[in-house]
Amino acid sequence: MRTALLFSFLLICMPAKAQTLERGNGPEPSTLDAHKCPEVACGNILRDLYEGLVAKDGKGNLIPGMAERWDVSSDGRTWTFHLRKELKWSNGEPLTADDIVRSFQRAFTPMTASPLAEHFEALVNAAEIMRGEKPPSSLGVTSPDRQTVVIRLKRSAALLQLLTLPTAYPVYLPGVEKFSAQHTRPGNLVSNGAYRLKSWTPQSFVMLERNPLFREQAGIPNVRYHVTEDASSELKRFESGGLHITETLPPQPLAALKKKFGSQLRISPYLGSFWLGFNLTQPPLKNNRALREALSLAVDRDKLTRYITGFGEQPAYALVPPGTADYSPVALKWSKLSQAQREDLARKKLHEAGVDKNNPLEIELRYNTSTPHRRLSLAVAAMWRDTLGIKVRLRNEEWKVFVNNRKQKTITQVFRGGWIADVNDARNFLSNFQSGNVVNWSGLDSPHYDNLMTQADQAGDTVQRSKLMQQAEIRLLSEHAVIPVYFYVSKHLVSSNVKGFDANLLDHHPSRFLRLEEAKQ
């Protein structure tokens, strides 16, 4: 009896197991260096670890971040951000305006090679610093005192949205100086967001714990981001209770998913486009526009979105998605033809490109390891074979290897591409194809395109800016640097125990705005 009472007493006194939100996150994050993050997988985690001058809530609305308020000059070129009192790093050290300024300077140095830095080209001297023409100290980000950050622009820009990107997060520079590339490892990483890094098991998961020094305590104590490259396996983990939120869903009949998961199935509009890219710097696609157009024409987007993706994605004949702010969609004239007519034209273009029985073509299509990407690649290869008689080699690669090969533009021919909007702006998609941009994976080098984008940046109003960007997009499509395939929808399974998961166009869901309720017995 005494033993039983003692056991009951121990059970009562034992602390309750801390809640952990289990999130699927796609491929292994390539980095947790905020200034070097190029993809969704690291962006999701960094939004929990860090906070910029401005942040977004769970519905996607702009809210104060490190800055409690801000002022802007009448011409929209000078912004003054007033910091919250007693900002702290996760190690307890004070976070000052000077830390923020020096972190911005680090983001734009050529050595950092930030993949999203190009989006901040409107900052005074940012472009010149990235090209190594001016010192980082000349950047138009200054701190007149410990509580104030001033940002100067050379043209109008969606600055508040830009400041929510990882490039604008403050990085703890003493850690970078001490640990170099290892500053992102557990025990070394110092951040300033609602969570801090607890552990990182490569190819398995990244574990975060609540940052006790953040001004507002996150509702969920721990968050575990799982590597879930295979969507089918991710679905099984959700069904078994191993995940609260999936990153995506495998291709399956939508009606069956709705019947099985009900309100746990979340499908929403999403600012993102999926495309296949051409390496324009190497044969056989270099200097062969007719071949690139033939390959594009032969892709039946309607079949792909109906039978391969199957979640309500919209066939794409352009790069910028519908619903993008202050922008009307464009497309090439042949997008209005029937698929049979497009395939007839594709064969004519192939002949024009010099490909026939006496001069056959074998081409390689490269994609990162993923069940949906594999299914789509197989379908596209079959279309090229059946319509054009082209033999296709499929090559899948682990995410980091794929990203590096795509960036190098040495061994790629046709590759899986796409872009998820960082901010709701057509420029966020189109600037990626300007010559010299680090994410210009196709290697497009078009002075005409570059000039149109420069004119758009200098436009005096949004109407003129939009018209110039439309002209630039038509030029890009005419060059056939990519094959637009479809516009994304966001698709997740979300446990009924998770509260606060709200749809938004950028599909950002910071964990600090979520709650985890106990399952009802």
Side-chain angles (χ1 to χ4, degrees):
M1 182 70 174
R2 182 178 298 174
T3 302
L5 288 172
L6 178 61
F7 181 71
S8 299
F9 175 76
L10 289 172
L11 284 177
I12 294 171
C13 294
M14 285 177 62
K17 184 179 178 181
Q19 286 184 324
T20 299
L21 178 66
E22 310 287 355
R23 300 186 66 157
N25 199 44
E28 169 83 359
S30 61
T31 181
L32 289 183
D33 186 328
H35 296 164
K36 297 184 179 183
C37 172
E39 86 275 325
V40 173
C42 58
N44 289 337
I45 300 172
L46 290 170
R47 273 188 292 276
D48 281 356
L49 289 173
Y50 287 94
E51 181 180 58
L53 290 166
V54 180
K56 286 188 176 180
D57 64 16
K59 298 179 184 294
N61 301 313
L62 290 169
I63 59 173
M66 291 187 294
E68 61 182 359
R69 60 186 177 86
W70 48 84
D71 310 309
V72 59
S73 61
S74 58
D75 63 359
R77 303 296 174 88
T78 302
W79 293 73
T80 303
F81 295 87
H82 306 278
L83 303 184
R84 299 177 186 272
K85 291 182 174 61
E86 298 182 358
L87 288 174
K88 292 183 182 296
W89 293 103
S90 58
N91 64 359
E93 293 182 17
L95 196 167
T96 68
D98 184 61
D99 293 328
I100 296 169
V101 170
R102 290 190 298 113
S103 192
F104 264 100
Q105 292 172 358
R106 186 246 185 187
F108 294 101
T109 59
M111 185 178 296
T112 301
S114 173
L116 300 183
E118 180 66 28
H119 298 315
F120 291 80
E121 182 269 343
L123 271 65
V124 168
N125 291 332
E128 290 83 355
I129 294 168
M130 285 187 280
R131 293 194 297 264
E133 298 170 359
K134 289 188 176 181
S137 59
S138 67
L139 184 68
V141 182
T142 56
S143 55
D145 57 60
R146 289 171 61 89
Q147 292 296 120
T148 310
V149 174
V150 177
I151 297 180
R152 292 181 295 119
L153 306 177
K154 62 185 179 184
R155 60 171 175 80
S156 59
L159 180 63
L160 296 181
Q161 288 200 58
L162 289 170
L163 291 176
T164 66
L165 299 183
T167 304
Y169 294 162
V171 169
Y172 184 67
L173 297 181
V176 177
E177 294 166 3
K178 181 177 180 180
F179 299 110
S180 189
Q182 297 299 308
H183 81 274
T184 60
R185 306 310 301 176
N188 298 344
L189 183 65
V190 177
S191 58
N192 75 317
Y195 290 88
R196 61 189 183 187
L197 181 62
K198 183 176 183 180
S199 65
W200 184 354
T201 303
Q203 294 300 329
S204 184
F205 63 83
V206 173
M207 185 74 168
L208 310 184
E209 62 183 359
R210 192 157 50 196
N211 177 7
L213 300 179
F214 192 69
R215 64 182 178 277
E216 298 170 358
Q217 188 179 70
I220 302 174
N222 302 298
V223 182
R224 185 165 18 228
Y225 282 93
H226 295 263
V227 174
T228 52
E229 283 192 305
D230 184 81
S232 297
S233 297
E234 184 181 35
L235 174 60
K236 291 177 182 177
R237 291 172 74 170
F238 180 86
E239 290 181 295
S240 67
L243 293 176
H244 293 108
I245 302 171
T246 67
E247 171 60 18
T248 188
L249 286 167
Q252 288 195 13
L254 185 56
L257 284 171
K258 288 181 176 178
K259 182 178 180 180
K260 185 172 186 178
F261 294 105
S263 61
Q264 294 185 114
L265 178 64
R266 308 289 186 92
I267 298 177
S268 308
Y270 191 22
L271 286 185
S273 58
F274 182 97
W275 40 264
L276 298 175
F278 293 128
N279 184 351
L280 307 185
T281 70
Q282 306 284 341
L285 297 161
K286 180 181 180 181
N287 300 326
N288 200 335
R289 187 187 301 181
L291 173 59
R292 302 195 300 267
E293 185 170 13
L295 292 168
S296 183
L297 284 158
V299 174
D300 189 335
R301 285 113 166 132
D302 291 300
K303 277 187 178 178
L304 292 177
T305 52
R306 185 179 301 124
Y307 301 115
I308 303 300
T309 59
F311 284 101
E313 293 89 350
Q314 182 177 338
Y317 297 91
L319 212 71
V320 181
T324 302
D326 302 314
Y327 195 81
S328 297
V330 301
L332 296 177
K333 291 180 180 179
W334 56 248
S335 66
K336 304 300 181 184
L337 300 177
S338 68
Q339 184 58 32
Q341 290 172 316
R342 286 196 287 265
E343 290 173 2
D344 286 340
L345 183 57
R347 286 183 279 268
K348 292 177 183 177
K349 289 293 180 180
L350 190 69
H351 179 73
E352 182 182 324
V355 179
D356 54 32
K357 291 182 179 179
N358 298 320
N359 187 27
L361 175 67
E362 182 175 340
I363 202 162
E364 184 174 85
L365 172 55
R366 188 177 301 261
Y367 61 95
N368 58 292
T369 303
S370 160
T371 300
H373 295 335
R374 180 176 181 274
R375 283 169 53 92
L376 187 137
S377 297
L378 283 167
V380 170
M383 292 171 184
W384 286 345
R385 180 196 63 213
D386 297 343
T387 302
L388 302 174
I390 291 175
K391 184 177 180 181
V392 183
R393 300 185 309 274
L394 296 179
R395 183 177 295 275
N396 74 295
E397 295 174 323
E398 184 267 335
W399 175 248
K400 288 185 180 180
V401 176
F402 171 78
V403 167
N404 184 63
N405 284 332
R406 185 172 64 177
K407 179 181 178 181
Q408 295 298 323
K409 299 186 283 289
T410 302
I411 61 174
T412 54
Q413 292 184 345
V414 186
F415 54 86
R416 176 252 162 175
W419 193 258
I420 306 300
D422 301 299
V423 296
N424 190 352
D425 186 359
R427 190 184 192 280
N428 192 244
F429 290 88
L430 300 176
S431 66
N432 295 330
F433 293 89
Q434 290 180 268
S435 58
N437 194 307
V438 294
V439 293
N440 184 1
W441 304 313
S442 289
L444 178 67
D445 186 5
S446 170
H448 187 184
Y449 182 81
D450 292 346
N451 184 51
L452 286 167
M453 289 299 296
T454 299
Q455 290 183 56
D457 286 342
Q458 297 170 347
D461 57 66
T462 56
V463 174
Q464 182 65 14
R465 179 178 185 264
S466 178
K467 287 181 179 178
L468 287 163
M469 285 196 292
Q470 286 174 319
Q471 293 176 39
E473 185 174 9
I474 287 293
R475 179 69 182 188
L476 173 65
L477 297 174
S478 300
E479 289 286 349
H480 300 286
V482 300
I483 302 176
V485 178
Y486 62 81
F487 296 119
Y488 282 101
V489 292
S490 65
K491 44 190 181 288
H492 306 278
L493 286 172
V494 181
S495 168
S496 55
N497 298 334
V498 176
K499 307 301 178 183
F501 189 96
D502 296 309
N504 58 80
L505 282 174
L506 296 181
D507 198 33
H508 291 171
H509 305 279
S511 300
R512 62 182 277 212
F513 298 109
L514 301 178
R515 304 185 311 282
L516 192 56
E517 296 183 354
E518 296 295 333
K520 294 180 180 179
Q521 299 297 324

